[in-house]
Amino acid sequence: MPYDSLKALIADLEKDGSLQHVPIEVDPAWEVAAVMRRVFRMPQAQRPAVLFDRIKGSDLPLVVGLYGSRRTYARILGVTPTRINERWLHALAHPVPPVFVSGGPCKEVVLRGEAVDLTRFPVPTWTPGRDIAPYIAGASVVTRDPESHVRNVGIYRLQLKGRDRTGLNINPPQHIGIHSRKYRARGQPMQVAMALGADPVVSMVAAAKFPPDTDEFAIAGGLRGAPLELVKCETVDLEVPATAEIVIEGTADLEHLEPEAPFGEYMGYMSPQRLNPVLRVTAVTCQRRAIFHALLSQKPPSESSMLRGISNEASLLGALRGMGVKGVTDVHVTEPGGAVMHVVVAIQKLHPAHPREVMTAVWGVRPYYGKQVIVVDDDIDIRDPFDVEWAVATTVQARRDLVIIPDHTGRRSDLSVEPERRDQDRSDKLGVDATRKWPYPAPAGAGPEHLARVEARWPEYGIREVERE
Ligand code: MN
């Protein structure tokens, strides 16, 4: 496992410019969001992670964009980008339970009571002028099921509400929603711990969807190939990764809800105000030279869509194979669809109805995913939208190749559903069979073999990209 801490990852990414420093003072109220939006409009493979050395009003540096490309994601796993899914499938099949240690870097500073002050952290406002407050975006939020005692780790938005208060967004279908319902039925508050900047695989598992009662920390251990080290919290009965930069502990009162949001959400629109619990912070522990870690979460292209998409591709591929679906070679959950709406699947087609079997399997195993599922032959590069559209253009007849299922499972946040029907969690599904239905002529243009030879001596041709502006 290449990195066991955020600082180890940062140090390595700095070496080749994959992480770059902003030395000037930057305003978290608007400027961080605008700088990162500019960075995310660079082609994915060229986006650096950014370390803001000086954030106005805070003594802590801020790092954003560590999961902004498949290249860095693969580097964190110690593989090439084409091996990401393989690494994930291995981790899912071989989880490694965490181990407990008595202390760690996240305990270098322990603050309780009056000493707690979240407003000292460099928390950005991600949609300036529209978000109601700065948001802690990208914390790995830990809760425990009061019945099964299995913990859950997920990424949920946290509105900064004061020195020792945050809003906590709870969606009923999510695992934290299941936990909060059980605590509420017992008349108990829910204990919560949030880790920022832990071992870099922790955000990967926190962003992915698993069946309930999966211990995400054990999957993280599978990805690392070694157990994750956890330490006990100071004021709540939970454990967090020992190498976290910052840990926030607290208790959510589930009876007294407060307005939370508006917040600019990952699908690309403002999410309206709603009633949500408030987390009362009981302790903050952190490293002496802590770095505040955040994920850019907003209209794609965004870091949260990249991270969630890559992590969920592997879990979807694993689930399809687990169901016994044959011939699926790769799965892509696209970034413009917020890493939930649009799925592209590559198959080695076995028979004419095979693409339809694959579509219905996707809808069965991940009902909330894939409002649109495009199935292509496995010579198509499913991560290149250009190649996928070429496949659709050259293989699809609308009457024959489209599958529409009305009123399937949907997402409440899908604004394309009529407002009065949105609380039914329904959505139509569209399947597109973009595989070739009979033998086609060979594709036109220089093939892989010739392209590889040109690539090997590319500098000799003296051709470079035209500079913009
Ligand atoms: Mn979970």
Side-chain angles (χ1 to χ4, degrees):
M1 188 64 221
Y3 314 105
D4 59 4
S5 70
L6 184 84
K7 287 194 177 86
L9 172 64
I10 287 173
D12 189 47
L13 295 180
E14 270 176 338
K15 285 184 203 155
D16 65 357
S18 294
L19 178 138
Q20 294 168 27
H21 286 256
V22 173
I24 60 168
E25 186 181 78
V26 173
D27 190 342
W30 65 274
E31 206 171 6
V32 169
V35 169
M36 290 314 297
R37 186 110 198 112
R38 173 73 178 75
V39 169
F40 269 72
R41 290 170 76 170
M42 297 175 185
Q44 191 215 110
Q46 278 131 274
R47 292 171 196 157
V50 179
L51 189 66
F52 294 93
D53 293 330
R54 291 167 56 212
I55 296 287
K56 192 175 159 186
S58 180
D59 297 328
L60 276 65
L62 165 71
V63 67
V64 194
L66 290 169
Y67 304 90
S69 70
R70 295 186 75 81
R71 196 172 39 79
T72 31
Y73 192 108
R75 194 152 152 183
I76 291 168
L77 294 179
V79 297
T80 57
T82 54
R83 309 294 283 271
I84 291 172
N85 283 345
E86 201 179 304
R87 192 75 201 79
W88 255 102
L89 292 174
H90 184 267
L92 291 170
H94 304 91
V96 179
V99 293
F100 297 95
V101 294
S102 57
C106 73
K107 301 287 191 184
E108 287 174 2
V109 179
V110 178
L111 303 167
R112 300 171 194 240
E114 289 294 296
V116 168
D117 187 0
L118 303 182
T119 64
R120 298 291 305 275
F121 287 145
V123 187
T125 299
W126 300 102
T127 301
R130 294 204 175 88
D131 282 358
I132 193 164
Y135 267 76
I136 299 171
S140 295
V141 179
V142 185
T143 54
R144 195 190 310 280
D145 188 305
E147 289 165 11
S148 71
H149 302 287
V150 176
R151 70 176 81 78
N152 181 64
V153 188
I155 294 177
Y156 310 103
R157 69 178 193 225
L158 298 146
Q159 179 187 332
L160 189 63
K161 289 196 165 205
R163 290 171 61 102
D164 61 352
R165 286 158 50 86
T166 77
L168 176 60
N169 181 45
I170 294 185
N171 281 318
Q174 293 179 322
H175 294 163
I176 196 170
I178 297 169
H179 289 190
S180 72
R181 274 197 300 284
K182 291 182 181 178
Y183 281 106
R184 192 150 184 251
R186 294 165 165 240
Q188 292 173 350
M190 180 169 66
Q191 295 190 332
V192 182
M194 300 179 271
L196 286 88
D199 181 307
V201 298
V202 171
S203 296
M204 294 177 173
V205 297
K209 298 275 182 248
F210 301 103
D213 287 348
T214 303
D215 181 5
E216 278 89 350
F217 284 151
I219 309 290
L223 283 177
R224 301 177 82 230
L228 195 67
E229 295 190 340
L230 301 182
V231 283
K232 287 207 169 301
C233 289
E234 300 296 312
T235 56
V236 292
D237 182 24
L238 292 166
E239 305 83 28
V240 286
T243 64
E245 294 286 323
I246 297 169
V247 175
I248 301 171
E249 305 175 8
T251 304
D253 175 354
L254 304 169
E255 294 296 334
H256 301 96
L257 307 183
E258 275 188 19
E260 185 267 348
F263 177 71
E265 267 295 351
Y266 68 93
M267 275 312 304
Y269 289 96
M270 295 304 297
S271 166
Q273 192 158 81
R274 49 192 292 186
L275 291 173
N276 263 317
V278 173
L279 189 81
R280 298 230 167 240
V281 178
T282 48
V284 169
T285 75
C286 61
Q287 301 194 17
R288 220 164 276 122
R289 287 174 44 250
I291 297 172
F292 194 88
H293 172 238
L295 296 171
L296 180 74
S297 178
Q298 52 184 233
K299 179 182 170 186
S302 82
E303 186 177 12
S304 73
S305 297
M306 281 301 304
L307 175 61
R308 199 174 42 249
I310 302 172
S311 292
N312 279 315
E313 281 175 17
S315 74
L316 176 55
L317 184 60
L320 291 172
R321 291 193 176 153
M323 286 172 80
V325 179
K326 303 275 182 249
V328 175
T329 56
D330 203 0
V331 170
H332 179 43
V333 186
T334 75
E335 196 184 349
V340 287
M341 292 297 193
H342 291 180
V343 173
V344 188
V345 187
I347 63 167
Q348 273 174 340
K349 190 158 72 168
L350 301 171
H351 56 89
H354 188 200
R356 288 174 188 238
E357 290 178 6
V358 170
M359 290 167 200
T360 46
V362 171
W363 294 323
V365 77
R366 289 286 186 277
Y368 287 92
Y369 279 64
K371 184 163 86 159
Q372 176 184 288
V373 177
I374 300 179
V375 182
V376 297
D377 293 307
D378 70 345
D379 61 316
I380 301 297
D381 179 356
I382 58 173
R383 292 187 180 79
D384 179 359
F386 200 104
D387 217 26
V388 173
E389 188 174 342
W390 176 72
V392 171
T394 53
T395 65
V396 171
Q397 280 294 307
R399 206 165 30 158
R400 185 192 61 207
D401 297 326
L402 301 187
V403 176
I404 293 172
I405 302 189
D407 289 329
H408 204 288
T409 312
R411 305 174 75 84
R412 198 159 292 211
S413 56
D414 185 347
L415 296 175
S416 70
V417 176
E418 295 80 354
E420 63 277 12
R421 293 185 64 224
R422 236 169 258 161
D423 62 354
Q424 296 174 14
D425 297 328
R426 299 280 193 99
S427 169
D428 296 351
K429 302 288 193 192
L430 171 63
V432 182
D433 175 359
T435 60
R436 302 177 188 95
K437 279 81 190 177
W438 41 78
Y440 271 46
E449 185 201 325
H450 292 119
L451 287 173
R453 281 166 63 187
V454 164
E455 196 61 38
R457 55 183 297 197
W458 185 246
E460 296 175 47
Y461 299 104
I463 304 168
R464 49 192 174 74
E465 285 173 19
V466 178
E467 303 234 347
R468 288 195 302 168
E469 286 152 335

